[in-house]
Amino acid sequence: MNTHTPAILPNEPSNETLQEWDRVHQLHPWASMDDWQGYDNMLVDCAEGIYLWDGDGKRFIDGPGGMWCVQIGYGRGEMADAIAAQVRKLAYTSPFTNTTQPSAVLARKLAEMAPGDLNNVFFTTGGSTAVDTALRTMHFMNNRLGRPEKKIVISREKAYHGSTYLAHSVTGKEREKSRFDIEKRLVRFLPDVNPYNRPEGMSVEAWCDEKVADLEKIIAEVGADRIGAFIAEPILSSGGVIVPPPGYHKRTFDICKAHDILYISDEVVTGFGRLGHWFASEDVFGIQPDMITTAKGLTSGYLPLGACIIADHVLERCASPDDPTLFSNGYTYSAHPVSCVAALTNIEIFEREGILQHVREVTPVFQGRLRALKDRFPLVGDARGMGLLGCVDCKAPNFAAEKRLGQMIDDACEEKGLLVRPFANMAVFSPPLIITAKQIDQMFDILESALEKVSAQVA
Ligand code: PLP
């Protein structure tokens, strides 16, 4: 049990000192390079359930659920015990030459959970390496099949697939502002699929037709013989919780199948209960991808782990009995036994507590409160989401003010004890999946008072 009172021992650095060391020495992901030593990141001290406490002992509802990952909530003693027991028993062994009980059991479990013939699990260190593995598998397969030119990846504007060279290359979000090199020759991006951005007067059905036509057009332009894969998040999460129009996934999937283009479903966010199912691809969107990438909720954020789950029919095409070739992809911490135990214990908790069912039950409360914001606040241009994923997309009279709206909402929410994930003019939510209907109401009550404040500020 956490005490929630920050205990500073005599020789421990003060909160101010810690933040100073952080500012001067720690470079955070996606930091602004104009001001990387000038920003105070929140010092988080401890957490339990859906709450976390800062260094001064102030409590917050964790609206983003860490980074879309803390599905079972914080402070689970059972997770701590299972992790500690595995550390004592076997902290590490090489995945290149050995296997372990936790990794073998977890691989079997994931194969059971995944749709169709997705029976083969390659463990990685997180989401980016899972995406890398999926794309490298496509490279390997097409080289093996003697069609080395079939490598181009089709991705989408606003997609986020990770921060390795390859995963970043297929990331659409903020691409135009990146000073990192990316592999431009191997990627094509489809335009925005967000129904909110469709031209005035256009129906959602017509928008879906247009988005499907975008894919057909690019295949016609580039040539299916040069396109290896289509990579898609079922919901573009970091890009602003963009839910493509109904029917989009099935139609794009069918087009990929018709052209022998591998369909990679990036379920790093949508997997593990976020939409009330282990995976959303089949159960929510009716498709059986060729590969699924997962991470985050796989361990509920207790330890790093990712996986690329590959269909039998893909691996069969990678095999070459007459000319055996190594699949030279892998990480020192692939299938880490302690991370695999964390994932198995996480899954046990999901099953015992009926968390998937719980998500389906509280989703109407979450989505109902979310959508009501649009009617109540002229500031809110769109309030969209699915399952326990939501985004408030705001508009202001001028662009400069609009870009700051997410941060302004975050600041106003923080004052009242709620964390949100700000991004430009948006505030995004993906709370721990154990959140109750009452806590959802508390979260939206705070958000509404924050929106009142920000509406007055920008009026
Ligand atoms: N894919 C998606 C859809 C993601 O949202 C993320 C991270 O947010 C990643 C991949 C990368 O995962 P990681 O940060 O674990 O490398």
Side-chain angles (χ1 to χ4, degrees):
M1 181 72 133
N2 292 313
T3 60
H4 311 147
T5 26
I8 308 284
L9 300 175
N11 293 329
E12 278 187 1
S14 67
N15 290 345
E16 291 69 32
T17 306
L18 290 172
Q19 280 191 306
E20 175 67 7
W21 289 349
D22 178 77
R23 258 196 309 274
V24 176
H25 297 295
Q26 190 173 174
L27 185 55
H28 288 263
W30 285 63
S32 162
M33 292 311 276
D34 306 327
D35 190 22
W36 68 277
Q37 287 191 327
Y39 188 75
D40 269 337
N41 282 294
M42 176 186 278
L43 181 63
V44 179
D45 184 58
C46 60
E48 193 171 312
I50 66 157
Y51 299 104
L52 45 82
W53 282 259
D54 73 5
D56 298 323
K58 180 168 174 181
R59 189 182 88 164
F60 298 88
I61 297 176
D62 186 6
M67 277 277 292
W68 334 81
C69 59
V70 188
Q71 322 295 71
I72 59 169
Y74 295 99
R76 296 272 194 166
E78 191 179 346
M79 290 292 276
D81 292 345
I83 289 167
Q86 183 61 39
V87 170
R88 287 203 182 87
K89 189 175 175 201
L90 176 70
Y92 179 79
T93 189
S94 165
F96 289 70
T97 48
N98 307 330
T99 192
T100 62
Q101 187 197 43
S103 72
V105 174
L106 182 61
R108 186 184 144 92
K109 189 93 194 158
L110 290 176
E112 274 169 16
M113 289 170 171
D117 68 338
L118 283 120
N119 288 320
N120 311 280
V121 179
F122 192 97
F123 286 113
T124 67
T125 53
S128 308
T129 46
V131 167
D132 258 36
T133 296
L135 296 174
R136 298 191 78 209
T137 301
M138 176 272 284
H139 292 169
F140 189 101
M141 184 191 90
N142 282 327
N143 287 337
R144 148 79 188 95
L145 295 175
R147 42 190 207 188
E149 70 296 338
K150 195 170 165 63
K151 298 281 172 53
I152 289 174
V153 178
I154 301 185
S155 182
R156 299 175 297 177
E157 290 296 338
K158 301 195 178 155
Y160 184 72
H161 296 294
S163 265
T164 58
Y165 182 53
L166 199 50
H168 181 56
S169 295
V170 298
T171 285
K173 185 181 165 183
E174 300 288 279
R175 186 169 39 103
E176 69 286 359
K177 294 201 209 108
S178 176
R179 291 211 176 100
F180 287 113
D181 284 354
I182 49 178
E183 185 47 83
K184 291 191 179 129
R185 290 168 309 144
L186 285 183
V187 197
R188 297 286 189 282
F189 288 93
L190 298 177
D192 189 10
V193 293
N194 191 351
Y196 173 54
N197 293 333
R198 69 189 187 278
E200 225 177 300
M202 182 187 261
S203 69
V204 173
E205 292 74 25
W207 177 251
C208 185
D209 291 344
E210 186 178 303
K211 296 299 104 189
V212 172
D214 286 341
L215 175 62
E216 282 168 330
K217 204 163 101 200
I218 219 161
I219 294 173
E221 266 167 33
V222 175
D225 55 341
R226 294 178 60 223
I227 302 173
F230 176 59
I231 184 163
E233 298 160 82
I235 293 178
L236 294 94
S237 305
S238 300
V241 186
I242 298 168
V243 186
Y248 171 86
H249 292 94
K250 180 72 174 75
R251 289 172 68 186
T252 49
F253 174 78
D254 287 344
I255 293 168
C256 291
K257 285 279 108 178
H259 291 286
D260 194 13
I261 293 168
L262 294 183
Y263 190 107
I264 302 169
S265 186
D266 184 350
E267 292 231 36
V268 166
V269 170
T270 53
F272 280 83
R274 188 56 55 198
L275 305 187
H277 299 271
W278 290 123
F279 295 110
S281 298
E282 185 175 44
D283 290 342
V284 181
F285 298 109
I287 59 170
Q288 288 186 0
D290 299 297
M291 288 184 251
I292 288 182
T293 50
T294 181
K296 294 191 189 277
L298 173 59
T299 60
S300 277
Y302 278 73
L303 283 176
L305 185 68
C308 175
I309 312 176
I310 309 169
D312 289 343
H313 65 266
V314 173
L315 282 195
E316 277 155 19
R317 293 167 93 196
C318 290
S320 46
D322 306 334
D323 176 23
T325 315
L326 293 179
F327 185 73
S328 49
N329 182 63
Y331 312 96
T332 301
Y333 300 129
S334 284
H336 195 288
V338 187
S339 298
C340 289
V341 158
L344 286 169
T345 311
N346 180 44
I347 293 167
E348 261 172 54
I349 292 172
F350 260 84
E351 288 175 339
R352 188 180 345 109
E353 297 183 7
I355 290 179
L356 298 179
Q357 180 60 27
H358 170 76
V359 171
R360 287 180 232 151
E361 279 163 18
V362 296
T363 287
V365 183
F366 181 90
Q367 293 296 332
R369 289 289 308 255
L370 179 72
R371 276 144 216 263
L373 299 173
K374 187 164 149 43
D375 300 329
R376 181 161 166 210
F377 296 96
L379 182 75
V380 175
D382 194 24
R384 55 175 175 265
M386 200 181 247
L388 290 186
L389 258 187
C391 172
V392 183
D393 191 332
C394 294
K395 50 185 196 269
N398 67 69
F399 183 65
E402 191 159 298
K403 276 201 311 191
R404 288 185 288 111
L405 284 175
Q407 191 55 53
M408 289 168 78
I409 295 169
D410 184 33
D411 292 344
C413 285
E414 261 189 40
E415 269 174 32
K416 294 191 180 289
L418 168 66
L419 299 182
V420 308
R421 180 146 190 249
F423 176 59
N425 60 322
M426 292 178 274
V428 165
F429 296 85
S430 54
L433 304 182
I434 51 154
I435 193 166
T436 63
K438 195 165 157 218
Q439 290 168 331
I440 291 174
D441 276 330
Q442 285 163 358
M443 192 173 97
F444 279 99
D445 289 346
I446 297 178
L447 178 61
E448 285 183 1
S449 75
L451 286 169
E452 267 162 28
K453 180 173 177 185
V454 174
S455 300
Q457 284 170 334
V458 297

